[in-house]
Amino acid sequence: MKQIYPTIRKKISNDRGDISIFTCFFVAGVVMLISFLLTYASVRITCINIRNGAKMELNNLSASIYADTFRSQRETNFSEYLNTLYSDSSYTDMLEDMVTEGLAEKLPLSTEDYQIRNISLDFHVDGDRVEYVFSCDAEFYVFMFGRYYPTITQQIELTGYHNTKF
């Protein structure tokens, strides 16, 4: 161990004060590694924030579906609500817009660092409950050479359920 340290020290600096090629590559490698780790951490944190905002909106969606199914069960029956859910695209578009607008209130959908695209909301009936699947793509950008370049696209998907009683 005592012999390795002086050898590395000798390669990093020499008596003339010049920087060796080894030192340049070593410093560039460390800078690239730190940049990658910071970018990775930033992407993970932003995805967590988007996911948390979407979870809150799915809770709001569940409350809205509860109000609609409660009203439909009192007035007619649950199958009528399911027909509305599957046949009336304006109703599902309204629910999707409600989730998108709520998410936009919680966090910006587009910044210099990322852009949220392809927000969709799908519904399925699974026994006595309504399943809804929220999905979106978060596209992350890196600023290099005076331009923004898309580097990473993460798909975010959340599933929620609304239980009904017949």
Side-chain angles (χ1 to χ4, degrees), residues 65-120:
I65 290 174
Y66 174 76
D68 293 342
T69 57
F70 181 74
R71 184 173 44 249
S72 70
Q73 286 176 348
R74 285 183 64 210
E75 294 172 0
T76 56
N77 58 15
F78 187 65
S79 61
E80 175 105 15
Y81 176 75
L82 293 179
N83 288 337
T84 303
L85 186 64
Y86 284 117
S87 65
D88 190 10
S89 64
S90 64
Y91 178 72
T92 56
D93 290 343
M94 185 266 309
L95 292 175
E96 188 174 309
D97 290 342
M98 184 178 73
V99 170
T100 302
E101 290 169 5
L103 186 61
E105 289 175 7
K106 291 182 180 29
L107 59 117
L109 296 181
S110 180
T111 65
E112 304 179 331
D113 299 326
Y114 69 90
Q115 184 173 9
I116 300 174
R117 296 179 183 211
N118 303 330
I119 296 175
S120 68

Side-chain angles (χ1 to χ4, degrees), residues 111-151:
T111 65
E112 304 179 331
D113 299 326
Y114 69 90
Q115 184 173 9
I116 300 174
R117 296 179 183 211
N118 303 330
I119 296 175
S120 68
L121 192 60
D122 296 322
F123 295 94
H124 308 285
V125 176
D126 184 23
D128 62 343
R129 61 186 182 175
V130 176
E131 175 188 36
Y132 40 87
V133 179
F134 169 85
S135 63
C136 68
D137 294 329
E139 189 173 67
F140 293 90
Y141 298 98
V142 172
F143 186 74
M144 287 190 319
F145 311 117
R147 293 187 54 197
Y148 286 97
Y149 295 98
T151 56

